[in-house]
Amino acid sequence: MLPSLTVLLLCQLAGEVLVRLLGLPLPGPVVGMVILFLGLLARGRVPQGLDQTVKAILGNFALLFIPASVGVMVHLGTIWTEALPIAAAVVGSTVLTIVVTGRLMQSLFKPKDKEQA
C-alpha cells in the first residue's frame, strides 16, 4: 500500500511542479491526475496494489469532507450573508452544466446519415 500511495503523491507533486513552472491556470492535483492517467494508459492496466490503495481511500472518502464541513460551520455567518449570490451561482452553473451536457450528448449520438437511424 505504501508504494502505491507514494505513486499517487508523486503524481500530485509532479502536477504541482508543472503548474508552478509553466504557470498553468489549473490546480496541481488535476494535472497530477492527468499524469497518473497517462501512466496507466502507457502501462495498459491498473496495478493491483494501486487498485487496493484507491479502494481504501474511497472507502474512507466521507472523512475527507470533515475539514470542509468545519469550514462551512466557521464561516456560516458569511455564507448566510451571501446566500442569494451563492444560490444563484449554484442554480446557474447547474442549469448551464445540464444544457452543455445535453447538447454534447446530442452531438455525440447523432447518426452520421439517416440510413443508420
Side-chain angles (χ1 to χ4, degrees):
M1 185 169 185
L2 189 58
S4 298
L5 194 57
T6 304
V7 168
L8 292 174
L9 291 174
L10 284 174
C11 286
Q12 181 176 356
L13 176 64
E16 291 284 354
V17 169
L18 280 175
V19 164
R20 304 270 170 129
L21 286 177
L22 301 175
L24 298 173
L26 297 168
V30 171
V31 175
M33 282 193 305
V34 171
I35 293 169
L36 177 64
F37 178 70
L38 294 175
L40 292 174
L41 278 179
R43 187 177 176 103
R45 64 179 179 82
V46 178
Q48 185 174 354
L50 185 62
D51 185 48
Q52 291 173 346
T53 302
V54 170
K55 285 181 181 175
I57 291 171
L58 290 176
N60 297 301
F61 200 59
L63 294 175
L64 300 176
F65 288 102
I66 291 174
S69 301
V70 171
V72 167
M73 297 307 291
V74 167
H75 297 287
L76 195 56
T78 305
I79 292 171
W80 184 251
T81 304
E82 301 294 329
L84 188 60
I86 291 172
V90 169
V91 170
S93 63
T94 301
V95 169
L96 182 64
T97 301
I98 290 170
V99 168
V100 168
T101 303
R103 292 291 185 188
L104 179 64
M105 294 304 291
Q106 284 177 342
S107 68
L108 289 175
F109 288 116
K110 188 181 292 184
K112 303 252 188 264
D113 56 332
K114 295 184 182 196
E115 293 177 12
Q116 290 180 351

